[in-house]
Amino acid sequence: MIRVVLVDDHELFRAGVRGELGDRVEIVGEAGSVAEAVPLIHDLDPDVVLLDVHLPDGGGEAVIAAVSQERPGVKFLALSVSDAAEDVIGVIRAGARGYVTKTISSEELTDAVARVSEGDAVFSPRLAGFVLDAFRAGDPVGPDAELETLTPREREVLQLIARGYRYKEIAARLHLSIKTVEAHVSSVLRKLQLSSRHELTRWAHERRLI
Amino acid sequence: MTQIPALPFERSESDRVVAGVCAGIARELRVDPTLVRLVLALLTLAGGAGILLYFALWVWTGGRHPVYAVLILGLATMTLLGALGVPWTIFIGAGLMVAGLVLLARRGASLRPGGGSLGIPGIALAVAGAVVLLDHIGSSNAFVGPGALAGALALVLGPWVWQLAKERNERIRLAERAEIAARIHDSVLQTLALVQRHAADEQRVRGLARRQERELRRWLYGSGYGDAQTFEDALADAAADVEEAHGTRIELASAGNAPLDEPLTQLVLAAREAMANAAKHSTADEIAVYAEARPDSVSVFVRDRGVGFDRSAIGDDRRGISESIEARMKRAGGSATVASSPGQGTEVELTMPRGAA
């Protein structure tokens, strides 16, 4: 059983997720705000935290920042209806291992939780689109060039995720193993989190202005 | 004190640059507001008299202590006279003294403490006036007069300037709030009413909810309500239409955006046809749509995990793919690829070069 804490300020949504998640997942605690979530996660030390990007007293980023030091084993999966790319990228850069939209089916959500608990990354098509946009081709410069750009293979994998392909389908299409596909996605996540790419900031800024 | 009559005009609520004073006067005099603004601007060149006059009229029409308005009017007159060559220090000194004393007189000719806030500006004005006069007569210190004058002005005008700014901010806030209220009324409340009326029709309710969600998103994060101006918004509109018509969920992802021109409009129409095809024939409950805008071209991928089909086995009655998708893309300078096989779902790939004619 994967032990999960659910952090979302909408009681209705929490109730829905509680009823939908399969028997591989056990919800051990729920919180509706940053202030509630931080001590709860600290005490329960769950495997995965399902984290709303927007909370009344701060973003999901605040929860991650407050507990990741002392509870490094806890994995975060961001869950949102928000379309604002900079918020999503923000919570990923804070340390979440994936992002899914709240319209996801319960079966896919269970899969995503399991994947994140094993240390893999979970990208929804929407997040894949955001990342491709943020890492637009061209101008890799500086000493961290490896972190600044996506490899053609990573780009290809992300594009297929954005087009709605599952890992298994991507593996078959690109003649790779599923493990390799997962490794590519994890690598993209690492770049997203570690890159100091000024493009990311500029891009988020542009998005906000549009 | 005699009651000061109300001014024969009111500030304009709709036409205003600062607080609507000029437009109000213009309306009463039946002239162009720009003319009034011009006159005030010219007066401003005369030592700032225009600004003071504006303040006075604003204070007066605002229903505040008219005596302040009279004071500022006096100051404006003096400034104007000063600009015309009359030794201004005399006017200002005397004016300030008179004004200060008038203020004090209004408080019952009393200097007792606790006489209210009016007492302090009154005293300050009178003292400043005296200093200015003495300074002019004695011509001893070049700094005392102007310093006292500036101090008195700051004391009296400061709160008004602050209040003027506050009032303006308040107006802007109210206008924003009215706009949000109007949006919510036009969209969210209407949708909720529709949802209540069609509660039994699950497909319809689902479509309504998704459409409303898209609209709100576009308003919050995109280019606003109304006709789509960008490719991304137009595609989202098309997806919402198909969802509403067929009840199939469409997940939309995109990277990059572009202004909506004619070739891209054709691309959106072809993509819409591909989505409608998938919704009608695939039996899948979800369609994934991904749009990528690159500097040289824009691509849309429409994918479903439905029944798929064998192209050669399709009858002529289903002209959607060849006519509405492939021929349309070709006419507009783009291309379309359809990949499908029975049981494997379908993916339509549409590509339009940027700047295609």
Side-chain angles (χ1 to χ4, degrees), chain A residues 49-67:
Chain A
V49 175
L50 275 175
L51 187 62
D52 193 359
V53 172
H54 293 278
L55 292 167
D57 52 347
E61 291 174 62
V63 176
I64 300 179
V67 297

Side-chain angles (χ1 to χ4, degrees), chain B residues 67-133:
Chain B
V67 69
Y68 283 121
V70 173
L71 279 180
I72 309 179
L73 269 179
L75 276 175
T77 316
M78 284 185 285
T79 319
L80 191 60
L81 287 173
L84 292 175
V86 183
W88 58 280
T89 41
I90 290 180
F91 276 102
I92 289 175
L96 281 178
M97 279 184 75
V98 171
L101 292 174
V102 166
L103 266 184
L104 289 173
R106 242 176 85 79
R107 307 300 298 175
S110 159
L111 286 176
R112 67 194 146 84
S117 57
L118 276 179
I120 297 164
I123 295 166
L125 280 179
V127 170
V131 172
V132 171
L133 266 186

Side-chain angles (χ1 to χ4, degrees), chain A residues 64-87:
Chain A
I64 300 179
V67 297
S68 60
Q69 280 288 327
E70 293 181 44
R71 290 281 178 265
V74 178
K75 313 281 199 312
F76 294 89
L77 176 59
L79 193 64
S80 174
V81 291
S82 163
D83 232 358
E86 59 273 12
D87 295 343

Side-chain angles (χ1 to χ4, degrees), chain A residues 9-32:
Chain A
D9 56 318
H10 293 100
E11 171 55 36
L12 267 177
F13 180 76
R14 294 211 303 261
V17 171
R18 220 183 296 137
E20 280 176 6
L21 279 178
D23 47 12
R24 292 153 70 194
V25 171
E26 182 195 2
I27 295 190
V28 293
E30 291 179 27

Side-chain angles (χ1 to χ4, degrees), chain A residues 51-184:
Chain A
L51 187 62
D52 193 359
V53 172
H54 293 278
L55 292 167
D57 52 347
E61 291 174 62
V63 176
I64 300 179
V67 297
S68 60
Q69 280 288 327
E70 293 181 44
R71 290 281 178 265
V74 178
K75 313 281 199 312
F76 294 89
L77 176 59
L79 193 64
S80 174
V81 291
S82 163
D83 232 358
E86 59 273 12
D87 295 343
V88 177
I89 297 285
V91 77
I92 295 283
R93 275 172 74 85
R97 297 206 56 84
Y99 163 78
V100 291
T101 38
K102 283 187 176 174
T103 48
I104 190 172
S105 71
S106 38
E107 180 200 344
E108 279 178 297
L109 183 58
T110 310
D111 273 357
V113 169
R115 208 179 280 283
V116 165
S117 77
E118 283 157 23
D120 286 326
V122 172
F123 279 26
S124 68
R126 187 169 279 155
L127 174 59
F130 289 163
V131 176
L132 281 170
D133 196 20
F135 282 89
R136 257 175 292 200
D139 59 24
V141 281
D144 289 335
E146 189 267 328
L147 282 178
E148 307 290 306
T149 42
L150 304 179
T151 66
R153 203 46 140 184
E154 288 164 354
R155 201 171 282 279
E156 224 170 351
V157 168
L158 275 190
Q159 212 186 34
L160 287 170
I161 293 177
R163 281 158 65 176
Y165 286 74
R166 301 204 179 106
Y167 285 12
K168 206 172 80 182
E169 296 164 329
I170 296 171
R173 205 180 154 105
L174 299 179
H175 308 293
L176 302 169
S177 72
I178 294 186
K179 275 285 153 216
T180 313
V181 173
E182 283 171 354
H184 282 306

